[in-house]
Each structure stands twice: as structure tokens, then as C-alpha cells.
Amino acid sequence: MAVAKRVVILDYGSGNLRSAERAFARAGADVTVTSDHDAALEADGLVVPGVGAFAACMAGLKGVQGDRVVGRRLAAARPVLGICVGMQILFEKGVEHGVHTQGCGEWPGVVQRLDAPVLPHMGWNTVSAPEGSVLFRGLDPETRFYFVHSYGVREWQLTPGPGFPAPLVTWAEHGVPFVAAVENGPLMATQFHPEKSGDAGAVLLSNWLSTL
């Protein structure tokens, strides 16, 4: 019998912690919700959730040294999954209401307001996943995921260097195209909420767990 993978959902004062905990448990993980630095470093997988404003999430993350934990895990090629604003703060910068906030800087790029007639983008939407995606393996291209956001990354700016495979970037559209998910070695992220996306989200979380 396979041993369940140990997953820490980082508690830094932002995110759908309990719904995420239930969803990962449903997918077969041994889940802990904590802000403990050592537990977050040692887990098989670390999940960084996030809801609300970019600046508030970054302040909360730094308050528990979460930015350092993410950096240390990635330096050791240990998996990290960002969800919603937990994905956005992995980028270089967020701009909200004219306020520029530095993110974790794991990827270049700016999180900015979507140019759409109706905001927030709230509800179910399809995504366009690239060939070879692990996160979306086994899912129909017409599968819908649950989004709640007004901001996103509208331009992917990372240019891979020699010897480094290009990240797999999944796109969605609401008014304009935006990054819906990224698979970049040990660092993966989704703009949508897999924990609120029913059976499709459960498949995606299981696919991520299979990489740990």
C-alpha cells in the first residue's frame, strides 16, 4: 500500500484553508494546515493558497517567512503549488489601484487588472493547456474550472535559457487572455481554484500529488 504524500498548506492569514484541506485529503494526501517553518520545508509538497489583495497576501507571506520557505524549497527542487493569489505572488510584481508591490520574483511578469466588461471574473471557465501538461492529464479540453479574480498575468515574460526546458503555460480568457496555470519543474500554480472545481479539480490535485 502506497504511503500518502505529506502536504502542508501554508497558513499565512490568506486562503481557503479548510476547503483546500478537504480537497487535498480527498485526493489522497496526508494534509496539515500550518505556518510552521520547518513543517513547510520538510513536507513532500507545499501549497501556497491566497485570496484578496496582492499586497496583503505578500505581507502575510513575509510575516511567516513564507517567501523564504518557497525559495529554499525551489532551490532544493522540492515541489510548490500556488493557488489563485498564491500563484500571483510568485511573479515579480503586482499592481492594484496604482500600488506597486514586489512579489516573490520566481517568475518575471506583472499581475494587473484584467481588461474585461465584467469584473470580477467569477465562475466556470475552460482553459487551454499545452501538450505534455501533467496537471491537466486525463482531463477533457472542454473541462471547466472555477475562477474568482479581477487581476491576472496577461503576458508571459520568462524566456528559457539553454539547457532549461520552457515552462508549460496554460491560458484562459476573460475579456483578454491571461495565465491560468504554470508548470515549471518543481514550481506549479493555478489561477483558478482546484479545491472548488469539483471532480475536475480533484483530478488536477491527484495529478500534482503524483509528481511528489
Side-chain angles (χ1 to χ4, degrees), residues 45-138:
L46 176 67
V47 178
V48 182
V51 295
F54 188 104
C57 285
M58 270 309 300
L61 189 72
K62 289 182 176 180
V64 299
Q65 298 185 3
D67 53 336
R68 295 184 183 181
V69 170
V70 169
R72 287 184 61 185
R73 284 188 64 91
L74 295 177
R78 308 204 68 188
V80 175
L81 176 68
I83 295 175
C84 197
V85 184
M87 165 179 157
Q88 295 178 3
I89 58 180
L90 296 170
F91 285 86
E92 187 175 11
K93 182 170 64 174
V95 180
E96 294 186 4
H97 307 296
V99 177
H100 293 239
T101 303
Q102 290 301 119
C104 292
E106 298 297 341
W107 294 314
V110 179
V111 177
Q112 57 188 309
R113 189 175 176 86
L114 299 179
D115 185 6
V118 177
L119 289 174
H121 173 214
M122 182 167 62
W124 299 84
N125 202 349
T126 56
V127 302
S128 179
E131 185 177 350
S133 168
V134 171
L135 287 181
F136 296 93
R137 185 175 56 209

